[in-house]
Amino acid sequence: MLSFALLFSPFFQTASLEAAEIPPRPLSLAEAVGIALENNVDLRVERENIRLQESAVLFERGQFDPILHLDARADKTVRESTSVIETGFIRTDQLEQENQRLSLGLNHRFGWGGDYDVTFSQARSSATLQQINPTFRGEPVLTFTQPLLRGFGREITQGPLRIARTQLQISQSVFRSQLMAIILEISDVYWDLIFQRENLKVQQQLLLAAEQLLELNRNKVQLGLLAPIEILVAEAGVASRVEGVVVAEKAIQDTEDLLRRLLNLPEQPISDPPPLLPTETPTDTRKEFEESALLATALRERPEIAQHQMELRNRALSIRIAENQLYPSFDLVGSVGLNGIGGSYDAELDQIESGDFYHWEAGVVLSFPLGNRSARANVQRAKSEWNQAALFKERTVQQITLETKEGLRRVETDYRRIESNRRARILAERQLSAGNERAALGLISSHDLLEFQTELADARGREIRAITDYNKALINLDRVTGLLLERFNIETVSAAGEKR
């Protein structure tokens, strides 16, 4: 069996793309994939989506950050007295009062619901007729609120944070899907470029054969061994094959442009970029696969399955959060504090430290919306979203199963195409060899010989196409089974810091 690398070893090597003034750029498939993943615009968008989700996680974590609050105020009031009661025995027509207040506190939300606030308030006041003038007041106070029904529990309180973390994992899984889609696209175009370059060689060889036949016919006509019309037949064959070469060269340039767009090379010139020279040798070796093993691998490794599982987990948590909102708001509230008052700051602190002057408060607060239709609607919506997500997962499983089976059939079909087209090419070579012998004896016309040459070129082109399609099918099979990143040794990092 002839290998792909040797298939065109006797072919004429023309000074076409390789002999251009700009030297070609060698490019392996792994290098092409690496460049594309580094520069692809779609992947940059997905990376930004991951950063957005990371910001959402950070935002939800920030809901539990302690809050430091400070309140500092001062005021002064001067007004006319309107009563002897205000002035007493002091003869004055106006009253003055000054106040300075400072409050410093810390508020923190609990992870299981509720919050507390610790505040220390300090005030100084002075006023006409005030018995202790100036007066210093201080009050450290602890207040707390703890939901007992609605909003109670770590799962409910931290539900939005857990949902945001799962959404981040979903974004990373979507990024893996996007990676595989781009690798598949790059690979398809890369193998198409290999086909186009090999097809150009076939067309060049076909043109060379027609030119050799034209030269031979001219010599024979001069010797009187052929009718002059045979020269016209050969010239027509040359003209049609020139078109084949031109079309093949255009196909190469078009495919190179498409590959350059996918690679998004920052340093490449806009006009007259260097030709791309693929260095991979496609395989034509048969590979065996078991359908049941492929299906199990696909349902385990495809990122879409993980995405749906995480989405279902989020939807289930949303249901529990919504059901919690059906409960009445029943909160335990309380506060405890000390207070002190005196003519100086030290006197005030002495009273506070003594603990003789204090206050406390405890109670419950109950509220319940009559009808509670909004909460019931949210529960119904959350359950519908879970059902929808479950159906999406079921549909995805069916689609993955279909893609895996189709991918396996594609591999098997393309390999059978290689075998059948290889046999057709061998027979076409034998037919042309026999035709050359008969043409040398003058037993067939130039038209028949040109037909034999065309049939051989077509057979060679179909064989090349079958081989490149087989290599594309192998990569597609890795994609549908979720193993494409492993094939190219590409690792991604999950939200938990795990490499995949």
Side-chain angles (χ1 to χ4, degrees), residues 219-426:
N219 293 335
K220 287 185 176 182
V221 169
Q222 290 179 356
L223 297 175
L225 299 178
L226 282 180
I229 193 174
E230 295 297 331
I231 294 179
L232 295 177
V233 173
E235 288 177 342
V238 170
S240 63
R241 279 139 199 212
V242 168
E243 178 192 13
V245 171
V246 171
V247 172
E249 289 176 341
K250 175 185 178 299
I252 290 176
Q253 294 169 357
D254 290 344
T255 309
E256 284 183 341
D257 285 343
L258 178 56
L259 186 56
R260 289 190 191 96
R261 183 187 68 81
L262 294 175
L263 296 178
N264 193 25
L265 295 171
E267 75 280 1
Q268 70 178 7
I270 298 177
S271 60
D272 296 328
L276 300 177
L277 180 61
T279 59
E280 297 292 333
T281 300
T283 181
D284 57 358
T285 304
R286 186 185 187 96
K287 296 187 178 182
E288 300 290 342
F289 300 97
E290 185 180 349
E291 182 178 288
S292 59
L294 290 176
L295 287 173
T297 300
L299 295 178
R300 183 181 67 251
E301 298 293 337
R302 282 285 290 267
E304 294 91 333
I305 297 296
Q307 293 166 25
H308 286 297
Q309 290 172 342
M310 290 184 286
E311 185 66 29
L312 283 172
R313 192 160 64 240
N314 265 0
R315 297 302 180 187
L317 179 55
S318 296
I319 290 176
R320 294 193 292 273
I321 293 175
E323 288 176 340
N324 178 265
Q325 301 305 302
L326 293 174
Y327 297 138
S329 175
F330 186 60
D331 299 342
L332 175 65
V333 297
S335 67
V336 59
L338 300 172
N339 58 74
I341 187 171
S344 66
Y345 183 67
D346 292 337
E348 168 211 317
L349 288 180
D350 289 341
Q351 282 195 4
I352 293 176
E353 292 175 357
S354 69
D356 296 334
F357 303 94
Y358 61 88
H359 78 272
W360 64 268
E361 177 184 9
V364 292
V365 178
L366 174 66
S367 66
F368 185 81
L370 299 179
N372 209 13
R373 288 177 292 183
S374 296
R376 292 203 305 269
N378 287 335
V379 172
Q380 181 179 353
R381 181 178 60 193
K383 290 181 177 179
S384 296
E385 290 175 346
W386 187 94
N387 292 333
Q388 190 179 52
L391 292 174
F392 285 155
K393 180 183 177 182
E394 181 180 352
R395 185 179 64 182
T396 300
V397 169
Q398 294 174 350
Q399 182 64 27
I400 290 175
T401 302
L402 179 65
E403 290 178 356
T404 304
K405 291 182 176 180
E406 189 277 334
L408 178 58
R409 286 193 296 267
R410 178 178 166 185
V411 169
E412 294 173 344
T413 299
D414 287 342
Y415 186 79
R416 293 172 63 185
R417 286 173 56 206
I418 293 175
E419 294 181 324
S420 62
N421 284 302
R422 178 168 287 137
R423 287 194 297 269
R425 187 256 303 166
I426 292 172

Side-chain angles (χ1 to χ4, degrees), residues 146-177:
Q146 175 59 55
L148 301 178
L149 290 176
R150 184 192 299 174
F152 175 76
R154 186 176 297 275
E155 182 181 58
I156 304 303
T157 304
Q158 297 187 1
L161 175 58
R162 296 183 181 184
I163 290 175
R165 285 173 173 167
T166 304
Q167 284 298 132
L168 174 58
Q169 294 174 347
I170 291 175
S171 296
Q172 292 168 334
S173 184
V174 171
F175 183 70
R176 286 173 58 85
S177 298

Side-chain angles (χ1 to χ4, degrees), residues 100-104 119-125 135-141 337-353 355 357-359:
Q100 293 88 35
R101 294 182 297 275
L102 178 65
S103 175
L104 179 65
T119 303
F120 181 80
S121 299
Q122 176 67 48
R124 178 187 181 279
S125 65
T135 300
F136 291 84
R137 300 175 185 272
E139 187 177 20
V141 179
L338 300 172
N339 58 74
I341 187 171
S344 66
Y345 183 67
D346 292 337
E348 168 211 317
L349 288 180
D350 289 341
Q351 282 195 4
I352 293 176
E353 292 175 357
F357 303 94
Y358 61 88
H359 78 272

Side-chain angles (χ1 to χ4, degrees), residues 12-24 196-205 207 242 244-253 256 274-277:
F12 172 76
Q13 302 297 323
T14 185
S16 172
L17 296 177
E18 286 76 2
E21 293 182 1
I22 303 176
Q196 298 298 349
R197 295 182 72 90
E198 294 298 331
N199 182 61
L200 175 60
K201 296 177 184 178
V202 172
Q203 298 303 320
Q204 290 170 341
Q205 177 64 19
L207 174 60
V242 168
V245 171
V246 171
V247 172
E249 289 176 341
K250 175 185 178 299
I252 290 176
Q253 294 169 357
E256 284 183 341
L276 300 177
L277 180 61

